[in-house]
């Protein structure tokens, strides 16, 4: 069953990882997909994958943290593909740092992309969504729902996305626009490959923020996003949906290997 036939869906960060998997799934289900990314080449490659498989997609080079860039792109999408009806905000950046060493510029850019970028995309897409209905799915993280060491900017940005979602959900509940948020745990995408622990960091403090069952594939999370964006999820409004291997619920923590065959952890 195609859930998005002829609907115009905007997916930010659509050139890579979760955004790319989501753009593909939406196109497979009939959407005309606007693939937005800072990296024009990856956006074009993702759109070409979709069109090569018989779907409809168009790439747009956009910096979501820049209001003029966002405004121009959303208006161009409406002209090229039609009225946007679905918005998925997947563009995001991150990285580890000890807070006493964090660069103010990097703090500003993480907040700028993850939080302000999500707001700006909503701000300039909402007039179209309000003109006949639509839905927004913001992408937060387990890090928006719990403390994660060496990640103050990322946690603050994703915590902001969580409550931005709730604020928009109640503001537009009577206007035919549903706003929800999906909060993934670790996914196998390029994002985390570039993360480096700060010098002197204690790896053990990261155990509690890692799911015992490892990471998910972005395609699994895309399935969750598609459900939330579909009409079947009519009753889901302002929800924050964790898909994180149980991490936020039980607190995570890879089991520590026993330190010796006779340690209490391994005895009996
Ligand atoms: N990978 C994980 O483990 C994980 C876990 C929880 C949440 N998330 C969130 O999921 C979302 C997708 O992450 P991913 O893992 O697919 O990462 P990714 O790096 O594979 O994809 C992110 C995309 O966003 C784009 N982007 C970055 N800055 C941008 C900007 N200013 N304007 C437009 N596009 C920009 C990048 O070019 C990239 O294509 C992010 O919001 C991320 O915070 C990821």
């Amino acid at each position: 069953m195609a859930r998005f036939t002829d609907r115009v869906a905007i997916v930010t960060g659509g050139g890579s990882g979760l955004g790319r998997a989501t753009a593909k799934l939406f196109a497979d289900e009939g959407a005309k997909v606007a693939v937005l990314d800072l990296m024009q080449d990856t956006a074009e490659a993702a759109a070409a994958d979709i069109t090569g498989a018989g779907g409809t997609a168009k790439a747009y080079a956009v910096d979501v943290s820049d209001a003029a860039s966002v405004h121009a792109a959303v208006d161009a999408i409406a002209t090229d593909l039609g009225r946007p009806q679905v918005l998925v905000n997947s563009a995001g950046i991150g990285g580890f740092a000890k807070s006493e060493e964090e660069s103010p510029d990097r703090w500003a850019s993480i907040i700028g992309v993850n939080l302000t970028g999500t707001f700006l995309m909503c701000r300039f897409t909402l007039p179209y969504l309000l003109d006949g209905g639509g839905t927004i799915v913001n992408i937060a993280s387990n890090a928006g729902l719990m403390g994660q060491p060496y990640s103050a900017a990322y946690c603050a940005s994703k915590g902001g996305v969580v409550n931005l979602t709730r604020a928009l959900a109640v503001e537009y509940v009577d206007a035919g626009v549903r706003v929800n948020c999906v909060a993934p745990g670790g996914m196998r995408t390029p994002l985390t490959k570039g993360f480096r622990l700060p010098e002197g960091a204690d790896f053990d403090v990261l155990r509690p923020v890692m799911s015992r069952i490892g990471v998910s594939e972005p395609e699994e999370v895309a399935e969750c996003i598609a459900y939330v964006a579909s009409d079947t999820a009519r009753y889901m409004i302002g929800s924050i949906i964790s898909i994180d291997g149980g991490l936020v619920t039980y607190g995570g923590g890879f089991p520590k290997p026993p330190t010796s065959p006779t340690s209490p952890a391994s005895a009996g």
Side-chain angles (χ1 to χ4, degrees), residues 28-257:
D28 287 348
E29 298 218 22
K32 295 186 264 182
V33 182
V35 179
L36 274 57
D37 207 287
L38 189 61
M39 312 303 288
Q40 181 154 5
D41 55 340
T42 59
E44 277 171 2
D49 270 359
I50 290 171
T51 53
T56 304
K58 190 164 167 51
Y60 298 83
V62 178
D63 178 355
V64 297
S65 67
D66 181 274
S69 174
V70 169
H71 194 175
V74 174
D75 285 353
I77 291 162
T79 303
D80 297 343
L81 299 176
R83 181 181 76 85
Q85 288 151 281
V86 180
L87 168 64
V88 178
N89 282 305
S90 188
I93 57 173
F96 291 133
K98 289 182 175 173
S99 289
E100 77 272 21
E101 296 168 356
E102 178 63 289
S103 131
D105 284 349
R106 202 183 71 142
W107 164 278
S109 79
I110 292 174
I111 299 290
V113 174
N114 296 359
L115 179 55
T116 307
T118 298
F119 171 72
L120 290 173
M121 285 301 309
C122 295
R123 157 67 184 86
F124 289 105
T125 307
L126 269 163
Y128 293 104
L129 302 180
L130 288 166
D131 184 21
T135 190
I136 297 172
V137 184
N138 293 326
I139 307 305
S141 165
N142 63 281
L145 297 167
M146 63 195 287
Q148 182 167 290
Y150 313 128
S151 309
Y154 190 72
C155 284
S157 72
K158 293 300 187 177
V161 168
V162 165
N163 229 26
L164 168 64
T165 299
R166 294 187 179 118
L168 296 178
V170 296
E171 188 168 343
Y172 296 105
V173 65
D174 295 324
V177 179
R178 287 189 309 112
V179 188
N180 291 286
C181 175
V182 168
M187 285 180 289
R188 203 185 316 276
T189 72
L191 179 75
T192 47
K193 287 210 177 103
F195 283 23
R196 297 283 170 273
L197 282 178
E199 203 171 321
D202 178 358
F203 182 76
D204 277 351
V205 303
L206 287 168
R207 285 183 198 281
V209 300
M210 298 167 94
S211 166
R212 286 173 195 242
I213 63 168
V215 298
S216 73
E217 301 300 331
E219 289 76 13
E220 298 176 81
V221 179
E223 291 284 354
C224 177
I225 295 168
Y227 170 73
V228 174
S230 74
D231 292 345
T232 315
R234 170 192 79 85
Y235 205 56
M236 189 174 267
I237 293 170
S239 296
I240 314 300
I241 303 103
S242 287
I243 172 161
D244 64 1
L247 182 54
V248 167
T249 302
Y250 70 68
F254 279 125
K256 257 183 161 176

